[in-house]
Amino acid sequence: MHPNFDDDELLHYTDAQITHYINISPTLTNYSNITLLSPKYVAKAYAEDEVEDAMKAIELASTLQIRVPRTQRTVRVDGMIYCIMDRIQGSTLAAEWMTLGWFATIRLAFQLRRMIRRLRSAKSPTAGSLVSGKCRSYYLDDSFGLPPRADSKQVNAFMNFWLEFTSIRREMKKTAAQHSICSKKTFSIDRPFVFSHHDLSPRNIMLDSSHQLWLVDWDFAGFYPEFFEFAGMHNFISVGWNGLALRACSACGWTAERQRSCRYESHVKLFYGVSDRGVWSIGTKYILKERSDAAPNFEAQTLRFLKEKTTIPVPAVIEEWTEENRRHFLLSKRIPGEPLSTAWATMMETEKERVAQQTADYLSELRRLQSPRMQSLDGQPIYCAFLFPTGYGVPHGPLGSDDELWEEMTKALDGVPEIAKRRLRTRMPPSAPYTFTHGDLTNVNILVENGNLTGIIDWEASGYFPVWWEFTCAGISLGADDLEWKTALRKYMPDYAEAREFWRDFYALTRYPEVNERAAALLTEDNT
């Protein structure tokens, strides 16, 4: 809305002045053909061959005592006809539906029923819109269409043609007489067509402050079979007018009905979500990660550190911030390529081996980054639900020795006999030097393009871990392809097979007293 637009001067403005205000005023959210001139008026754009039909429909509805917006004047702008209309003071039924109680819902339903009965009191022997006679119905429109002001015989023939239709080739072989035969249950209209709004979607039903209904958007109105109004309502909401259909998507805020009413297709996509976090692609160039600000929450710091200290292809951080509701955002540049999990099945063996070798080469750069303690950057705790199976998001350390590491690990061995824990402790290999570790080299975190590694992502829980931990956790697979990938990767990594077997024994005992075959063998060994 433009502050200089004067409602009282609407009928006195020249067409040029109205055009100016239309061009500089905002449009209604999600409806680019409706311009908000002021709190009192809107301007709606129509194609030249549609405007008379819509205006005549509004005029007829008004004479039938249907509450509709009045048209004050029209103006031509860039080949379109703009109708300046009253702006209904209220909200759409789509916006209010979830807040309505049962009693209010029933009252509104009876209001709408009275309106539809009044509409049906206007009848016509021919179908179509009110001026041109064109059939704009979703159910009477196809590649060929009906003639203007089609009579019941023509509508019946049209519907029966499609009831009988199986293929174009078969129809082309039919004679005119055969086309008139319908072997299925025939469609037959033997009564006049009735006036129908034909787009009674909740977005086109307004609710004013007195809880009175108004009907807007008469673009598809005309004379049609009386059941078309009901069918038209279901064209927009496949499961009916219920809370599920009108509930907003938790990711984008749009309802299913709203998506159907707008041709806009977003290129901001939520492509990954787990727990309280989500990852969005913004076009083809950027990635936005959203999560709570709870630790571990230092991925941006890690990415900047790796950019400075290594040549590993990691996302470049553009910005990170935390909002008042404790939601944390990380905006980064998108690395070209696709996840290895997507590409793996179509890659040649030589390409798989090459990616494994390239990944291992970059990991060797990580191993040169060492710390006197097991910790994350800047002395923060480390997080790993596999090394410390006491829960995700639980901080551990910093830890400065094997004894401190073992003490932290044994918190997950509650109830395990002491003799079993002592025996297992003797098998734990030295953890120093503490090397920088990714810790989650699953195939979804490896990006590839044309058979080459392009990036390693998701450094959320990385830090300085035992020297054997990268090799060990590379043995934890999330499916057949991931197992095959990690088996290939470990061939090019320093071998810590003994440490991996130690960890497998340890992890098996964390399920005590419900133990698998591996843990049972360990406990039996201790009892002999």
Side-chain angles (χ1 to χ4, degrees):
M1 296 173 287
H2 198 278
N4 293 336
F5 185 88
D6 188 345
D7 292 338
D8 295 333
E9 293 296 315
L10 174 63
L11 300 181
H12 304 291
Y13 281 135
T14 65
D15 284 359
Q17 288 174 311
I18 292 290
T19 299
H20 170 71
Y21 283 117
I22 289 174
N23 288 332
I24 64 175
S25 297
T27 57
L28 184 64
T29 303
N30 303 316
Y31 297 93
S32 59
N33 65 327
I34 300 178
T35 302
L36 304 176
L37 293 176
S38 73
K40 190 175 180 179
Y41 297 114
V42 299
K44 182 173 181 179
Y46 289 92
E48 192 166 354
D49 63 344
E50 298 175 349
V51 63
E52 288 187 342
D53 284 332
M55 293 302 99
K56 193 66 176 179
I58 292 175
E59 180 184 331
L60 176 57
S62 180
T63 63
L64 296 173
Q65 298 183 321
I66 307 296
R67 284 180 288 275
V68 294
R70 291 181 303 166
T71 300
Q72 300 292 342
R73 64 179 291 181
T74 61
V75 61
R76 182 185 298 273
V77 180
D78 297 330
M80 301 294 289
I81 306 297
Y82 277 81
C83 294
I84 316 303
M85 301 177 175
D86 293 342
R87 184 175 181 178
I88 308 303
Q89 304 303 308
S91 302
T92 66
L93 188 59
E96 296 292 332
W97 184 260
M98 297 298 290
T99 65
L100 296 174
W102 284 108
F103 182 70
T105 302
I106 293 172
R107 284 188 58 206
L108 296 178
F110 276 101
Q111 278 193 58
L112 185 59
R113 186 176 72 168
R114 285 195 298 271
M115 288 181 169
I116 293 175
R117 285 179 173 176
R118 289 173 184 170
L119 291 176
R120 289 179 174 177
S121 68
K123 297 178 171 60
S124 170
T126 59
S129 51
L130 276 67
V131 177
S132 68
K134 181 178 179 180
C135 287
R136 303 185 191 278
S137 167
Y138 292 99
Y139 304 102
L140 295 177
D141 187 20
D142 71 338
S143 299
F144 307 99
L146 280 165
R149 299 181 181 84
D151 59 23
S152 58
K153 182 178 179 180
Q154 290 170 312
V155 172
N156 289 341
F158 179 91
M159 298 296 288
N160 288 328
F161 171 83
W162 287 110
L163 283 171
E164 185 72 10
F165 180 84
T166 55
S167 71
I168 294 177
R169 179 174 297 180
R170 181 180 176 185
E171 296 302 324
M172 291 176 65
K173 293 180 179 179
K174 286 184 178 181
T175 64
Q178 289 173 325
H179 274 300
S180 64
I181 301 172
C182 184
S183 60
K184 300 180 181 179
K185 185 176 181 180
T186 57
F187 181 90
S188 178
I189 299 173
D190 57 0
R191 62 183 68 184
F193 300 102
V194 299
F195 186 40
S196 306
H197 181 282
H198 206 46
D199 192 6
L200 287 178
S201 170
R203 73 175 187 278
N204 291 330
I205 302 175
M206 302 288 295
L207 187 63
D208 66 18
S209 58
S210 300
H211 273 226
Q212 298 297 310
L213 293 182
W214 294 67
L215 301 187
V216 300
D217 195 0
W218 292 81
D219 301 13
F220 296 101
F223 292 101
Y224 298 107
E226 60 183 1
F227 61 86
F228 271 32
E229 195 78 271
F230 176 81
M233 293 168 71
H234 284 269
N235 187 65
F236 295 93
I237 305 177
S238 58
V239 294
W241 284 14
N242 55 37
L244 179 62
L246 292 174
R247 186 172 294 124
C249 169
S250 61
C252 68
W254 280 41
T255 62
E257 186 276 333
R258 193 174 181 185
Q259 293 177 50
R260 293 184 178 92
S261 69
C262 181
R263 290 177 294 174
Y264 168 69
E265 180 179 352
S266 174
H267 289 79
V268 178
K269 302 288 187 181
L270 176 67
F271 67 90
Y272 178 78
V274 63
S275 185
D276 67 342
R277 64 196 64 191
V279 184
W280 298 77
S281 62
I282 304 177
T284 60
K285 293 185 176 181
Y286 303 104
I287 295 293
L288 178 66
K289 300 180 77 170
E290 179 197 0
R291 49 159 296 162
S292 74
D293 67 349
N297 193 26
F298 30 79
E299 185 173 16
Q301 180 185 7
T302 299
L303 293 176
R304 293 188 180 104
F305 172 75
L306 294 173
K307 279 285 188 183
E308 178 184 352
K309 301 293 185 180
T310 74
T311 64
I312 300 172
V314 299
V317 176
I318 298 174
E319 184 66 73
E320 70 162 331
W321 69 96
T322 301
E323 300 195 345
E324 292 182 357
N325 60 359
R326 299 191 63 185
R327 299 302 296 174
H328 183 78
F329 297 85
L330 170 58
L331 180 65
S332 63
K333 290 186 178 180
R334 185 172 191 165
I335 296 176
E338 61 181 339
L340 184 61
S341 57
T342 302
W344 188 261
T346 60
M347 291 173 63
M348 296 185 296
E349 291 302 317
T350 54
E351 293 175 327
K352 294 177 180 180
E353 291 295 322
R354 182 165 62 246
V355 170
Q357 176 71 72
Q358 291 169 342
T359 304
D361 289 344
Y362 284 125
L363 293 179
S364 66
E365 292 190 50
L366 279 188
R367 301 183 66 78
R368 292 195 288 269
L369 303 175
Q370 300 180 0
S371 169
R373 295 187 299 174
M374 289 170 273
Q375 60 187 359
S376 297
L377 293 178
D378 291 343
Q380 299 175 92
I382 52 176
Y383 297 80
C384 182
F386 284 109
L387 185 58
F388 310 106
T390 52
Y392 181 81
V394 178
H396 304 276
L399 308 170
S401 67
D402 289 353
D403 288 339
E404 290 181 11
L405 172 62
W406 176 250
E407 182 180 355
E408 197 70 15
M409 292 175 67
T410 55
K411 293 178 180 178
L413 297 179
D414 186 40
V416 175
E418 286 298 321
I419 187 173
K421 289 192 283 188
R422 287 196 299 269
R423 188 182 298 273
L424 188 60
R425 172 65 178 88
T426 64
R427 298 179 184 173
M428 188 176 84
S431 52
Y434 312 131
T435 57
F436 205 84
T437 301
H438 181 284
D440 188 13
L441 294 172
T442 183
N443 53 7
V444 299
N445 291 331
I446 306 297
L447 300 181
V448 296
E449 188 174 56
N450 298 324
N452 287 286
L453 175 73
T454 58
I456 302 176
I457 61 174
D458 198 4
W459 295 81
E460 187 175 275
S462 60
Y464 296 101
F465 282 83
V467 66
W468 41 263
W469 183 240
E470 193 83 271
F471 179 90
T472 298
C473 63
I476 304 169
S477 59
L478 302 177
D481 284 351
D482 195 41
L483 174 61
E484 186 180 349
W485 150 244
K486 287 176 176 173
T487 300
L489 175 61
R490 289 199 308 274
K491 291 191 302 183
Y492 298 99
M493 297 174 65
D495 190 341
Y496 288 94
E498 182 181 343
R500 179 169 178 256
E501 291 306 308
F502 155 76
W503 175 82
R504 293 181 68 191
D505 289 343
F506 161 76
Y507 199 76
L509 287 175
T510 63
R511 299 294 186 263
Y512 186 87
E514 296 180 5
V515 295
N516 59 16
E517 184 177 342
R518 187 182 190 97
L522 292 169
L523 294 171
T524 302
E525 176 186 349
D526 290 325
N527 291 329
T528 57

